[in-house]
């Protein structure tokens, strides 16, 4: 952001690019800094709540907003002991390289220490290995998907 005759100049094209990146990656906020210029773009996690101008919002008493219950799913309950979870935030890859076979498929038998996925974090590829041997019953992520710390990756029975 630059200061010019008392008015702040904002690079609208950069803000649009960051907003598109939020949509592509399903993140809720992103911040970039280049020297003295710093731009943060964030989206509200809750959708469907209309915003009011600050003056109108200040005159209203707080109101409880009902939150929709999560939709019922037909998936079975996952035993945490059988789930390999992400040890970091990053992007998960199910293949060692583009066009290659996946590390594992549902139904494969794996051994302890076998690489199941790779998580890219800060331009470093981190192999994530099975913590126990068994049969892969579920792959909880998609190739190229951003993952959070402690997010389920693979279920091994």
């Amino acid at each position: 952001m630059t200061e010019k005759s008392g008015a702040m100049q904002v690079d609208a094209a950069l803000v649009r690019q960051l907003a598109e990146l939020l949509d592509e990656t399903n993140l809720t906020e992103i911040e970039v800094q280049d020297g003295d210029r710093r731009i943060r773009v964030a989206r509200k996690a809750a959708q469907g709540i209309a915003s009011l101008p600050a003056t109108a919002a200040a005159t209203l008493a707080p109101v409880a907003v009902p939150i929709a219950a999560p939709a019922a799913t037909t998936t079975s309950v996952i035993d945490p002991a059988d789930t390999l979870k992400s040890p970091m935030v990053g992007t998960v890859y199910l293949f060692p390289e583009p066009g290659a076979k996946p590390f594992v498929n549902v139904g494969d038998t794996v051994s302890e220490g076998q690489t199941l996925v790779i998580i890219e974090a800060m331009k470093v590829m981190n192999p994530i290995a099975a913590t126990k041997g068994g049969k892969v019953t579920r792959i909880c992520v998609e190739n190229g998907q951003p993952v959070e710390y402690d997010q389920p990756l693979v279920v091994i029975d």
Side-chain angles (χ1 to χ4, degrees), residues 38-56:
R38 191 170 100 184
I39 298 176
R40 179 176 170 266
V41 178
R43 102 174 81 214
K44 290 183 180 179
Q47 296 180 0
I49 300 174
S51 60
L52 297 172
T55 55

Side-chain angles (χ1 to χ4, degrees), residues 2 7-8 29 32 37-38 41 75 99 134 140 145 147:
T2 58
M8 182 185 310
E29 72 178 63
V32 295
R37 182 171 76 164
R38 191 170 100 184
V41 178
T75 58
C140 306
Q145 171 184 336
V147 293

Side-chain angles (χ1 to χ4, degrees), residues 76-95:
S76 59
V77 176
I78 298 173
D79 182 359
D82 294 337
T83 305
L84 176 67
K85 295 183 179 181
S86 177
M88 64 187 72
V89 173
T91 303
V92 68
Y93 295 102
L94 305 178
F95 307 91

Side-chain angles (χ1 to χ4, degrees), residues 25-154:
T25 59
N26 293 325
L27 295 172
T28 55
E29 72 178 63
I30 189 168
E31 183 174 334
V32 295
Q33 184 170 353
D34 182 22
D36 291 339
R37 182 171 76 164
R38 191 170 100 184
I39 298 176
R40 179 176 170 266
V41 178
R43 102 174 81 214
K44 290 183 180 179
Q47 296 180 0
I49 300 174
S51 60
L52 297 172
T55 55
T59 61
L60 296 175
V63 177
V65 177
I67 298 174
T73 60
T74 58
T75 58
S76 59
V77 176
I78 298 173
D79 182 359
D82 294 337
T83 305
L84 176 67
K85 295 183 179 181
S86 177
M88 64 187 72
V89 173
T91 303
V92 68
Y93 295 102
L94 305 178
F95 307 91
E97 59 187 38
K101 290 183 181 179
F103 288 107
V104 294
N105 291 303
V106 173
D108 288 354
T109 300
V110 297
S111 55
E112 184 176 346
Q114 180 179 341
T115 299
L116 303 179
V117 299
I118 292 176
I119 296 181
E120 178 186 5
M122 298 178 62
K123 308 276 185 202
V124 175
M125 298 297 185
N126 302 283
I128 308 301
T131 54
K132 69 175 192 171
K135 183 178 179 181
V136 176
T137 58
R138 185 171 172 191
I139 298 174
C140 306
V141 292
E142 293 182 24
N143 191 54
Q145 171 184 336
V147 293
E148 298 290 329
Y149 173 76
D150 216 25
Q151 179 176 342
L153 300 172
V154 178

